[in-house]
Amino acid sequence: MKQYSIIVLLIVILSGTAGFAQTSPTAIAEDFKPSSVNQPGQEYPQVNSQGYGRFQIKAPDAKSVVVSLGLGGAKGGTELVKEQDGFWRGTTAGPMDEGFHYYHVTVDGGVFNDPGALNFYGSTRWESGIEVPAHDKDFYALKEVPHGNVQQILFPSKSTNTSRRAFVYTPPGYHKDKSAKYPVLYLQHGWGEDETAWSNQGRVNLIMDNMIAEGKIKPFIIVMTYGMTNEIKFGGMSSFKIEPFQTVLVDELIPYVDSNFRTAANPANRAMAGLSMGGMETKTITLNKPDVFSHYALLSGGTYSPEDIKDKSKAKLIFLSCGSKERPEAIKEATSKLKNAGFNAVSYISEGTAHEFQTWRRSFREFAPLLFKN
Amino acid sequence: MKQYSIIVLLIVILSGTAGFAQTSPTAIAEDFKPSSVNQPGQEYPQVNSQGYGRFQIKAPDAKSVVVSLGLGGAKGGTELVKEQDGFWRGTTAGPMDEGFHYYHVTVDGGVFNDPGALNFYGSTRWESGIEVPAHDKDFYALKEVPHGNVQQILFPSKSTNTSRRAFVYTPPGYHKDKSAKYPVLYLQHGWGEDETAWSNQGRVNLIMDNMIAEGKIKPFIIVMTYGMTNEIKFGGMSSFKIEPFQTVLVDELIPYVDSNFRTAANPANRAMAGLSMGGMETKTITLNKPDVFSHYALLSGGTYSPEDIKDKSKAKLIFLSCGSKERPEAIKEATSKLKNAGFNAVSYISEGTAHEFQTWRRSFREFAPLLFKN
């Protein structure tokens, strides 16, 4: 997106306009199209080829309507203006980052979702979502290739005294070749998200389908479950303890998956990865349970130090990533230290993205083919 | 719910109040609890033991906030009143019917969802949902029993030039006994809903799990896909043609399911059922394709006449149902005519419910055990 920012800046300078790009009509390409994650048949929200967002909300008697998205993405906000037909309309002051953004609409001081957009679970609530077409959007597009399934399972959990939900991606062909056994990746969402995030926002099933169709990856199973087991009050992270989730994952979910799916049920064929808070969980659990997982990935979710890992031979892959708008230096430095200490460590920086799902879609695309190679 | 209406009426008469029950404090039991389909951690909306709904919406600067639910359920509406803390609050004027209701909130003339409630796809949009605990809610409760899976599949559809989504319920044990083959029910949603409705609103996977655990039913597979294939503009039903959906269902989805799941792939083991518009589709397609399906169920979705069916031997079961607040006489009369003409016809009337999901949950519970018996 950097190039767009520069273009906008140049136009603003050349046209002598000191205000927002929004006030300079030449800056905004009038090729807005409905976002690809709108509700069926809905024309708004829209995105143009530069990444500007345009919104339209009906609320004829409201005093104020503000969309939480602005320049760059999740930061800032866009005040809509009421027009004579009772609709509030407005365009972001600049382009948003490529990929998926959560947002909401504040109407007269109350927080609601945009009736035009699909909802995605984030920030411990179902929020509106918008998709800014990325230059590399092809890798997570729905294509005419064989598709795997995403299954909702309900597994018994004695430690939490209920049946818990997980989603299981089984690759194309899983139902046909009844003798094949598959490695398994346990893949965690971030704070305030849930087990729907990696499929809905991350499109991880489509990324897998596409990479398998292109022969870039050996098929494996992905298991996604809720990682905020202890966060009963949905408060902050201050009181976060890993044990409740670790028990659900290691003592309840893994045995259930191994007994109900055709898995290669051994540490060499079991990986764990997570984004943000899910990275923190991945780090803690893989270190606590070195005989359960052998491949680790932290996406915008911290780093490992060589001294964290007691038995080097058990960590077959350590993958660390983040967006270029986060702290890429920390990722690169940690990876370098791990490599120097003899670990198979790989880093990836997603260009032009922040702490958002485009970073994690790309990170998944990068680390998935590296799994289960040794 | 009839008994509650009578109680409320009696109290209103006895207390000499001519207005709404809402104004008579003795009428409303103060045992409100958060609805079971609220977003995680949300206290509102609430429902009391009599079926009254209570709502709370934050919108400090709004002029008007109205909830679309009122006495009985989907009909009427409830105007909320702003209190000093900036929250709008209000209680329905009377009890709502048992079971699930769609609703929305009108804020200053704009239609939004209640930020406290989960969303469900109905009326061609994701709407808020609320659950009034029913006297018989046990049959669709999440219990400690073996659970089947609900799988999202993406199947190729040449006629619509895309990959289409369906959800497939496979019963508990499907993944373990790899030789068993299962009958299949194709189960359709109503107008404005989609392939998520029968699981999310209908809880059909839990109803199956519970009935299988109780030994009341022989396990079968359920397939749910989108039935408004031709409704590109999401308009009314006036231009509805069955062919586009019939092609997707019969020529594309059924062969895909039969080749990717362990099905008993013959007419005797294939049923079709639908609610409302899905009933209309079921009737038309089962009559057009008498060699594809052998068991039919229309839930609040019309009736068959004996003369509709050319070869009596091919229709093994005809099930007709609706709520007592719909037109039960028409269902009973049609069933009686079918029986007199020698058909295996069964009717069911859901007591105290209207054209809503509680009627269809109960209808499913009634017809599912009758399927694939002959």
Side-chain angles (χ1 to χ4, degrees):
Chain A
M1 301 312 302
K2 269 182 183 166
Q3 65 200 67
Y4 294 137
S5 305
I6 291 165
I7 291 168
V8 171
L9 193 66
L10 278 175
I11 290 166
V12 169
I13 291 168
L14 292 172
S15 67
T17 308
F20 291 110
Q22 198 174 7
T23 61
S24 168
T26 50
I28 302 178
E30 283 301 329
D31 56 359
F32 286 88
K33 289 182 186 145
S35 157
S36 62
V37 292
N38 279 1
Q39 295 201 27
Q42 294 296 315
E43 287 295 311
Y44 284 86
Q46 298 191 337
V47 184
N48 81 353
S49 57
Q50 300 159 316
Y52 283 74
R54 183 166 282 176
F55 302 88
Q56 172 181 294
I57 303 281
K58 187 186 169 192
D61 303 327
K63 288 196 202 91
S64 152
V65 178
V66 181
V67 169
S68 64
L69 287 169
L71 176 69
K75 290 167 203 100
T78 300
E79 285 188 27
L80 306 191
V81 175
K82 189 166 106 171
E83 297 182 3
Q84 285 195 334
D85 58 1
F87 284 85
W88 294 72
R89 296 189 177 91
T91 304
T92 54
M96 300 179 284
D97 289 347
E98 293 188 326
F100 175 85
H101 307 283
Y102 296 107
Y103 75 103
H104 55 260
V105 182
T106 303
V107 180
D108 286 350
V111 172
F112 299 92
N113 286 330
D114 184 336
L118 288 175
N119 300 322
F120 299 85
Y121 197 72
S123 312
T124 74
R125 60 183 294 271
W126 287 88
E127 284 233 311
S128 298
I130 192 168
E131 189 76 45
V132 178
H135 72 280
D136 57 351
K137 66 179 191 241
D138 190 62
F139 80 87
Y140 50 87
L142 175 65
K143 296 186 195 173
E144 265 195 55
V145 297
H147 292 290
N149 299 348
V150 178
Q151 318 196 22
Q152 175 190 289
I153 64 168
L154 295 168
F155 64 98
S157 165
K158 282 197 178 164
S159 71
T160 60
N161 199 28
T162 185
S163 292
R164 304 190 66 83
R165 185 170 72 164
F167 290 98
V168 179
Y169 169 84
T170 53
Y174 178 87
H175 286 283
K176 288 204 168 170
D177 178 358
K178 297 189 177 60
S179 63
K181 288 180 182 274
Y182 296 84
V184 185
L185 165 66
Y186 290 83
L187 183 61
Q188 289 305 126
H189 59 82
W191 183 88
E193 296 170 342
D194 70 6
E195 64 273 27
T196 62
W198 267 108
S199 305
N200 287 354
Q201 291 94 301
R203 302 170 75 93
V204 71
N205 54 321
L206 300 181
I207 301 174
M208 281 294 283
D209 292 346
N210 292 338
M211 286 201 293
I212 291 168
E214 290 169 21
K216 287 183 177 165
I217 195 170
K218 236 180 68 182
F220 56 80
I221 290 169
I222 305 174
V223 178
M224 300 157 275
T225 197
Y226 185 60
M228 294 172 72
T229 313
N230 64 334
E231 288 284 289
I232 291 161
K233 287 288 175 201
F234 294 88
M237 292 286 297
S238 57
S239 63
F240 194 89
K241 286 194 183 69
I242 198 68
E243 287 74 20
F245 175 57
Q246 181 173 293
T247 302
V248 168
L249 180 70
V250 175
D251 300 335
E252 296 170 344
L253 179 56
I254 291 178
Y256 184 89
V257 168
D258 282 339
S259 99
N260 285 278
F261 291 85
R262 295 197 315 278
T263 63
N266 54 58
N269 286 296
R270 204 179 287 123
M272 184 169 181
L275 71 90
S276 194
M277 180 196 77
M280 181 272 280
E281 293 176 333
T282 298
K283 178 178 173 178
T284 313
I285 294 175
T286 52
L287 293 176
N288 285 350
K289 300 284 180 182
D291 293 318
V292 176
F293 304 97
S294 58
H295 294 67
Y296 322 151
L298 313 183
L299 320 181
S300 308
T303 58
Y304 291 89
S305 304
E307 51 271 28
D308 288 336
I309 297 160
K310 282 169 197 150
D311 184 345
K312 199 188 292 182
S313 71
K314 290 180 176 169
K316 304 293 187 189
L317 171 74
I318 299 177
F319 179 92
L320 305 175
S321 75
C322 72
S324 69
K325 297 186 175 185
E326 300 189 84
R327 293 184 57 229
E329 303 73 24
I331 297 296
K332 287 175 190 164
E333 194 184 314
T335 309
S336 174
K337 280 185 186 163
L338 287 163
K339 277 182 176 169
N340 290 341
F343 287 94
N344 176 27
V346 177
S347 71
Y348 169 72
I349 308 301
S350 166
E351 196 50 47
T353 62
H355 200 72
E356 293 193 278
F357 248 104
Q358 191 69 4
T359 299
W360 306 320
R361 290 169 176 167
R362 289 175 180 165
S363 297
F364 181 87
R365 176 196 63 195
E366 297 297 318
F367 82 78
L370 308 176
L371 296 176
F372 314 120
K373 289 263 166 111
N374 40 22
Chain B
M1 299 311 305
K2 268 182 182 167
Q3 67 200 66
Y4 294 136
S5 306
I6 292 165
I7 291 168
V8 171
L9 193 67
L10 279 174
I11 290 167
V12 170
I13 292 166
L14 291 173
S15 66
T17 307
F20 292 111
Q22 198 174 7
T23 61
S24 168
T26 49
I28 302 178
E30 284 300 329
D31 55 1
F32 286 88
K33 288 182 186 144
S35 157
S36 62
V37 292
N38 279 2
Q39 294 201 25
Q42 294 296 315
E43 287 295 310
Y44 285 85
Q46 299 192 335
V47 183
N48 79 353
S49 58
Q50 301 160 316
Y52 283 74
R54 181 166 284 177
F55 302 88
Q56 171 180 294
I57 304 281
K58 186 185 170 191
D61 303 326
K63 289 195 201 92
S64 152
V65 178
V66 181
V67 169
S68 64
L69 287 168
L71 177 69
K75 291 167 202 98
T78 300
E79 286 187 28
L80 307 191
V81 175
K82 190 165 104 172
E83 298 184 1
Q84 285 194 334
D85 58 2
F87 284 85
W88 294 72
R89 296 188 178 91
T91 304
T92 53
M96 300 178 285
D97 288 348
E98 292 188 327
F100 175 85
H101 306 284
Y102 296 107
Y103 75 104
H104 55 259
V105 182
T106 302
V107 181
D108 286 349
V111 173
F112 298 93
N113 286 331
D114 185 336
L118 288 176
N119 300 321
F120 300 84
Y121 197 71
S123 312
T124 75
R125 60 182 294 270
W126 287 88
E127 286 233 311
S128 298
I130 192 169
E131 189 75 45
V132 178
H135 72 280
D136 56 352
K137 66 179 190 241
D138 190 61
F139 79 88
Y140 50 87
L142 175 65
K143 296 185 195 174
E144 265 196 54
V145 298
H147 292 290
N149 299 348
V150 178
Q151 317 196 21
Q152 175 190 288
I153 64 169
L154 295 168
F155 63 98
S157 165
K158 283 197 178 166
S159 71
T160 60
N161 198 28
T162 186
S163 291
R164 303 190 67 84
R165 186 170 72 165
F167 290 97
V168 178
Y169 169 84
T170 52
Y174 178 87
H175 286 283
K176 288 205 170 171
D177 178 357
K178 297 189 176 61
S179 63
K181 288 179 181 276
Y182 296 84
V184 185
L185 166 66
Y186 290 83
L187 183 60
Q188 290 305 126
H189 59 83
W191 183 88
E193 296 170 342
D194 71 6
E195 64 272 26
T196 62
W198 267 107
S199 305
N200 288 354
Q201 291 93 302
R203 302 171 73 95
V204 70
N205 54 322
L206 300 181
I207 301 174
M208 281 293 284
D209 292 346
N210 292 339
M211 286 201 294
I212 291 168
E214 289 169 20
K216 286 183 179 167
I217 195 168
K218 235 180 69 184
F220 56 81
I221 290 169
I222 305 174
V223 179
M224 301 158 276
T225 198
Y226 185 58
M228 294 173 72
T229 313
N230 64 334
E231 289 283 291
I232 291 161
K233 288 286 175 201
F234 293 88
M237 292 287 295
S238 56
S239 63
F240 195 90
K241 288 194 182 67
I242 198 68
E243 287 74 18
F245 175 57
Q246 182 174 291
T247 301
V248 168
L249 179 70
V250 176
D251 300 336
E252 296 171 345
L253 180 55
I254 291 179
Y256 184 89
V257 168
D258 282 340
S259 99
N260 285 279
F261 292 86
R262 295 198 314 278
T263 63
N266 54 58
N269 286 296
R270 204 178 287 124
M272 185 169 180
L275 70 90
S276 195
M277 180 197 77
M280 181 271 280
E281 293 177 332
T282 299
K283 177 178 174 178
T284 312
I285 293 176
T286 53
L287 294 176
N288 286 350
K289 301 283 179 182
D291 293 318
V292 175
F293 303 98
S294 59
H295 294 67
Y296 322 151
L298 312 183
L299 321 181
S300 308
T303 58
Y304 292 88
S305 304
E307 52 272 24
D308 289 334
I309 296 161
K310 282 168 197 151
D311 184 346
K312 198 187 294 182
S313 71
K314 290 180 177 172
K316 303 295 186 189
L317 171 74
I318 299 176
F319 179 91
L320 305 174
S321 76
C322 72
S324 69
K325 296 186 174 185
E326 300 188 83
R327 294 184 55 229
E329 304 73 24
I331 297 295
K332 288 175 190 162
E333 194 184 313
T335 309
S336 174
K337 279 185 187 164
L338 287 162
K339 277 183 178 169
N340 291 342
F343 286 94
N344 177 27
V346 177
S347 71
Y348 169 72
I349 308 301
S350 165
E351 195 53 43
T353 63
H355 199 72
E356 293 194 278
F357 248 103
Q358 192 68 5
T359 299
W360 307 319
R361 291 169 176 167
R362 289 175 179 163
S363 297
F364 180 87
R365 177 195 63 198
E366 296 298 317
F367 82 76
L370 309 176
L371 295 177
F372 313 119
K373 289 265 167 109
N374 40 21

